[in-house]
C-alpha cells in the first residue's frame, strides 16, 4: 500500500524476530538486493539488475545450488548434522567486518580476530568482490547485508586511516571499492542502493526473501525444498539448552552460536 518503506518494514520484522543493534550476534539482517556491480549506470527498470530474492545466497547460481544440495544429501558420509550450510548469513564477525572502518566496530573486529586485523585479502574491501564471494565463489560464504548499506556512507571510507594491510596483488586497503555506477562516491552508492531497495521490483519480490529469513521457509520441509537449511546449532530458539546436561556439549553449542550466528525467531 506504500504506507511504509521497505527499509522500515524490514527493520520492524527484525525487531519482531529479536534482532537488535545492541547484539552483534543477532544484528538486523538485510538482503542483497542487487546483482549488478559492474555497469557504469544502474538500471532499476531491468529485472536482471537485481538478485533473485526467492533464493538464499547459497542458491544464486545453479552450480552452487547443486553443490549445497549434494552436501545435504551426503550427510551420512561426512557431516554430523544434515544441512545445506555450516556457516551463517549473519554473525558478529560479519557485522564487525562490514563496519571495521568505524569505531567501536574496529576494536570489536580486532578482538574477535584475536587482537589484530585479518589477512588483507579476507578483509571487506570491495562491494563487488564481496557479492561474488557470497553469491558464487566461496562455499563457506553466504552472508547477507546489514542496514547500514542503505543509509550510512561513512562506513565505506577509512576516515580514521587505519592500517588495514596490503593485499597479495599489492593493493593497500583503504576506502571500500565501490561499483562503477557509484562514481567512487559513498553518498551516491548509498542513495542508489536505497533506491534499489525501495524499487518496484524489490517491493514486488521482497516477501520471498522474508519467507526464507523470517517465515515458513526458515526450517522444515519448506526449507529443504528452498535449499535453506542451516546447521541445527543456528536454530537457537529450537534448542532447549536447559535439557542438555553435558556442560561440554552445552558450551560447544553456545560457542558455535556466538561465533557463527543465529537464525531469527520465526514471525
Amino acid at each position: 500500500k506504500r504506507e511504509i518503506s521497505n527499509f522500515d518494514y524490514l527493520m520492524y520484522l527484525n525487531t519482531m524476530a529479536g534482532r537488535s543493534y545492541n547484539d552483534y550476534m543477532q544484528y538486523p539482517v538485510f538482503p542483497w538486493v542487487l546483482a549488478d556491480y559492474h555497469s557504469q549506470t544502474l538500471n532499476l527498470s531491468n529485472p536482471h539488475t537485481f538478485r533473485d530474492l526467492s533464493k538464499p545466497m547459497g542458491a544464486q547460481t545453479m552450480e552452487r545450488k547443486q553443490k549445497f544440495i549434494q552436501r545435504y544429501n551426503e550427510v551420512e558420509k561426512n557431516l554430523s548434522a544434515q544441512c545445506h550450510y555450516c556457516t551463517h548469513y549473519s554473525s558478529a564477525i560479519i557485522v564487525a567486518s562490514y563496519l571495521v572502518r568505524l569505531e567501536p566496530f574496529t576494536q570489536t573486529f580486532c578482538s574477535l580476530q584475536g587482537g589484530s586485523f585479518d589477512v588483507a585479502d579476507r578483509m571487506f574491501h570491495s562491494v563487488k568482490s564481496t557479492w561474488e564471494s557470497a553469491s558464487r565463489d566461496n562455499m563457506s560464504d553466504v552472508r547477507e547485508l546489514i542496514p547500514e548499506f542503505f543509509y550510512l556512507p561513512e562506513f565505506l571510507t577509512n576516515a580514521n586511516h587505519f592500517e588495514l594491510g596490503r593485499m597479495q596483488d599489492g593493493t593497500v586497503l583503504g576506502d571500500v571499492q565501490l561499483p562503477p555506477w557509484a562514481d567512487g562516491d559513498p553518498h551516491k552508492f548509498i542513495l542508489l542502493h536505497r533506491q534499489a531497495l525501495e524499487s518496484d521490483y524489490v517491493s514486488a519480490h521482497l516477501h520471498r526473501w522474508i519467507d526464507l529469513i523470517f517465515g515458513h521457509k526458515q526450517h522444515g520441509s519448506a526449507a529443504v525444498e528452498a535449499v535453506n537449511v542451516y546447521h541445527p546449532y543456528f536454530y537457537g530458539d529450537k534448542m532447549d539448552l536447559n535439557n542438555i546436561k553435558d556442560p561440554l556439549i552445552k558450551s560447544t553449542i553456545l560457542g558455535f552460536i556466538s561465533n557463527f550466528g543465529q537464525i531469527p525467531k520465526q514471525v
Side-chain angles (χ1 to χ4, degrees):
K1 294 181 179 179
R2 303 286 183 180
E3 291 177 5
I4 61 171
S5 66
N6 290 336
F7 183 92
D8 288 340
Y9 185 48
L10 287 171
M11 282 305 301
Y12 178 76
L13 285 173
N14 271 284
T15 303
M16 290 287 289
R19 315 295 284 190
S20 168
Y21 282 118
N22 299 320
D23 186 350
Y24 292 152
M25 290 178 283
Q26 294 195 77
Y27 207 77
V29 56
F30 269 58
W32 290 93
V33 293
L34 293 172
D36 182 355
Y37 297 96
H38 55 270
S39 297
Q40 292 296 324
T41 56
L42 192 62
N43 183 0
L44 296 180
S45 62
N46 182 358
H48 295 294
T49 298
F50 297 91
R51 166 255 180 106
D52 187 342
L53 288 160
S54 69
K55 295 183 175 68
M57 289 303 292
Q60 289 297 305
T61 70
M62 184 55 69
E63 180 185 5
R64 186 164 144 108
K65 177 182 176 181
Q66 291 303 322
K67 287 180 180 177
F68 281 121
I69 291 173
Q70 183 180 358
R71 173 190 285 178
Y72 184 89
N73 292 333
E74 290 180 350
V75 64
E76 282 100 6
K77 298 177 185 175
N78 54 16
L79 288 173
S80 59
Q82 193 168 32
C83 61
H84 295 114
Y85 314 112
C86 296
T87 54
H88 198 245
Y89 50 76
S90 175
S91 66
I93 194 67
I94 289 172
V95 172
S97 70
Y98 281 144
L99 299 173
V100 69
R101 291 163 179 79
L102 292 179
E103 290 287 16
F105 303 99
T106 312
Q107 296 304 315
T108 300
F109 181 85
C110 288
S111 66
L112 289 170
Q113 281 293 128
S116 62
F117 292 120
D118 198 358
V119 175
D121 287 81
R122 290 202 299 258
M123 296 278 285
F124 172 52
H125 66 276
S126 160
V127 178
K128 178 176 181 283
S129 65
T130 302
W131 160 255
E132 290 172 348
S133 171
S135 66
R136 187 187 71 198
D137 296 339
N138 188 345
M139 289 291 284
S140 62
D141 183 2
V142 292
R143 79 185 81 175
E144 293 279 7
L145 298 183
I146 54 176
E148 285 81 353
F149 271 84
F150 301 94
Y151 69 81
L152 189 70
E154 287 78 11
F155 87 97
L156 297 165
T157 60
N158 187 21
N160 292 316
H161 304 293
F162 293 119
E163 294 186 7
L164 301 171
R166 184 188 298 268
M167 297 173 66
Q168 288 184 345
D169 64 4
T171 303
V172 176
L173 260 60
D175 297 346
V176 175
Q177 296 172 15
L178 302 175
W181 44 259
D183 296 327
D185 182 350
H187 289 83
K188 185 173 182 180
F189 172 83
I190 295 294
L191 174 67
L192 292 173
H193 205 216
R194 183 64 174 265
Q195 286 178 0
L197 178 65
E198 304 300 340
S199 67
D200 289 340
Y201 180 91
V202 173
S203 296
H205 294 86
L206 187 58
H207 66 284
R208 297 179 182 275
W209 182 83
I210 290 169
D211 286 342
L212 295 168
I213 307 300
F214 301 105
H216 75 286
K217 292 184 179 178
Q218 195 189 70
H219 56 81
S221 59
V224 177
E225 190 175 334
V227 194
N228 194 44
V229 179
Y230 294 81
H231 193 285
Y233 289 175
F234 291 136
Y235 297 87
D237 61 334
K238 299 285 186 291
M239 302 194 69
D240 189 355
L241 292 174
N242 293 324
N243 287 334
I244 298 175
K245 304 303 180 188
D246 188 324
L248 182 60
I249 295 175
K250 194 170 186 175
S251 65
T252 299
I253 294 172
L254 289 171
F256 194 96
I257 293 169
S258 66
N259 283 318
F260 298 111
Q262 193 169 342
I263 301 287
K265 291 176 184 174
Q266 188 175 6
V267 296

